[in-house]
Amino acid sequence: EWCNDEFSHGEACSLIIRSDKRLTEGRNKLWIKFFLLAVFATMYVRDHMRPAFHEALDVDIEDYDMQVFRLTSEISQQCFPLVLDLDNPAMLEGFRRMERINRNMQAASARGGVTGMIGKAWWGLAAGVNFLRLYMLPTKKNDLPETSRLQPVW
């Protein structure tokens, strides 16, 4: 079941965003895309860093994340003029790549010393490039509904 607090936060965010049409137009669409991508990529990487937790729940992490991303996209269609294209195979591959990069960055950090620092910087750069690749993927256009009241999708 979806977290009610998160849904309430989303409703408040929707009201603020929808209060000024300029917040969903022009360059602000780039910020919306950045926000959605950052949230999804962060969740994907963080969830994959806790495999024992998901194994204990008998939950496939990737399947769970994609279900949450789809629910989140359905909700975000009620306040954002675009959604990430979760059907594009490059999106999921980019999330997977980000998770691998994160593991390499953690390993470099654990090595310590100068080589660890250089490795961490290298993998940090790789994460930035990967995020940029994900950011360049096309989104799906979304026509906003008349009302800004969010409706549950589950």
Side-chain angles (χ1 to χ4, degrees):
E1 187 169 300
W2 195 260
C3 176
N4 288 328
D5 285 345
E6 291 301 321
F7 187 77
S8 296
H9 295 151
E11 260 192 325
C13 180
S14 175
L15 288 171
I16 291 168
I17 290 171
R18 297 286 298 273
S19 71
D20 185 348
K21 188 173 170 64
R22 294 175 297 177
L23 295 175
T24 59
E25 296 176 339
R27 281 190 257 169
N28 288 323
K29 287 182 181 180
L30 300 174
W31 286 111
I32 291 168
K33 184 177 182 178
F34 177 86
F35 169 75
L36 292 172
L37 186 56
V39 168
F40 286 17
T42 300
M43 180 183 165
Y44 188 92
V45 169
R46 287 178 56 104
D47 282 355
H48 282 77
M49 295 289 92
R50 301 179 302 194
F53 173 74
H54 291 89
E55 286 171 17
L57 296 175
D58 195 29
V59 170
D60 178 277
I61 301 170
E62 189 166 276
D63 181 58
Y64 171 79
D65 280 349
M66 293 309 292
Q67 286 182 34
V68 170
F69 295 163
R70 291 190 190 288
L71 281 173
T72 303
S73 290
E74 284 184 55
I75 292 170
S76 68
Q77 284 178 333
Q78 299 174 51
C79 63
F80 292 141
L82 59 89
V83 292
L84 301 179
D85 184 0
L86 298 174
D87 297 321
N88 184 340
M91 182 68 68
L92 180 56
E93 183 49 43
F95 291 150
R96 290 174 178 155
R97 189 179 310 108
M98 192 67 80
E99 190 265 329
R100 289 190 304 269
I101 290 168
N102 187 60
R103 287 190 188 279
N104 288 329
M105 187 182 288
Q106 286 183 330
S109 186
R111 273 193 302 275
V114 174
T115 57
M117 206 166 53
I118 292 169
K120 188 174 178 183
W122 169 258
W123 290 112
L125 179 63
V129 169
N130 187 58
F131 189 88
L132 184 59
R133 288 174 67 181
L134 284 166
Y135 190 84
M136 298 309 292
L137 293 174
T139 57
K140 292 182 177 180
K141 184 182 182 306
N142 177 54
D143 294 322
L144 295 174
E146 291 297 315
T147 179
S148 64
R149 170 115 170 79
L150 294 183
Q151 301 298 318
V153 296
W154 61 94

